[in-house]
Amino acid sequence: GRHPDPSRLRLCDRKPMSSIARRLGLWMVIGGGALLAALFATLDHLVDSQLHERFDGALVARAQAFANVIAAREASERQLVDAWPEFAPTRHEDFYQIWNSAGEVLGRAASNRGGDLARPPRAADAEPTLFDLTLPDGHRGRGVLLSVWPQPAGADHETPWTVVVASEREAVDAL
């Protein structure tokens, strides 16, 4: 017999795709979609981790620089506000608070607006300790707990002060 020209076959004359080919195609689409979703989730996690790590690193560096100024007692409260404008009363993203070894508040940022920062239940170590907290304005924040050994002229202190420097983290969390 004579074979008809394949381009002239009507749709109804064509054989339906085999069940194995249909399943294979479906599984390839599902597998490809799952792979893309997994890659996206992994990339999102890596980016989030890097953002939080950089945020924490910058917060620790700023807290240590601030603690060094506090320990040296070289600046008045007004000089602190001038040198650290992020702690001004018009700001609401950055905060600090200082306690003596008895737990009495020695100072707080004007941005605290009289509110207290949460003081972690544990004492400060030699190394900075990062922790999450609710800021005086009610926003979520990240804090650094530090021990500061004040050095006024001619005096040695046996107990350190506790300093917490905190920043709002909602913008970083939203990314």
Side-chain angles (χ1 to χ4, degrees), residues 24 48 53 60 66 72 76 85-86 90 104 122 134 147 152 170:
L24 183 59
D48 282 352
E53 191 175 304
V60 168
F66 183 74
S76 68
E86 60 263 41
T90 57
E104 299 165 338
R122 56 184 227 112
T134 301
S147 290
E170 290 180 359

Side-chain angles (χ1 to χ4, degrees), residues 7 11 17 19 22 26 46 54-55 65 77 85 98 113 121 125 141 143 149 156 160 174-175:
S7 63
L11 284 177
M17 188 184 332
S19 137
R22 201 173 323 150
L26 179 63
L46 290 173
R54 287 178 185 227
F55 180 82
E77 190 166 332
I98 306 165
R113 298 189 180 176
D125 294 331
W149 296 86
D156 287 326
L175 294 176

Side-chain angles (χ1 to χ4, degrees), residues 10 15 21 40 42 73 89 94 138 157:
R10 295 183 319 191
K15 288 185 176 181
F40 175 76
T42 301
R73 290 185 162 192
D94 298 294
H157 287 275

Side-chain angles (χ1 to χ4, degrees), residues 49-106:
S49 295
Q50 277 294 315
L51 281 172
H52 285 96
E53 191 175 304
R54 287 178 185 227
F55 180 82
D56 286 350
L59 182 60
V60 168
R62 193 174 51 186
Q64 288 175 323
F66 183 74
N68 289 339
V69 170
I70 297 297
R73 290 185 162 192
E74 294 174 352
S76 68
E77 190 166 332
R78 180 70 198 152
Q79 290 169 322
L80 282 176
V81 169
D82 291 343
W84 301 84
E86 60 263 41
F87 299 129
T90 57
R91 303 293 302 253
H92 70 89
E93 289 110 6
D94 298 294
F95 306 85
Y96 76 83
Q97 193 157 336
I98 306 165
W99 296 268
N100 65 14
S101 60
E104 299 165 338
V105 176
L106 300 177

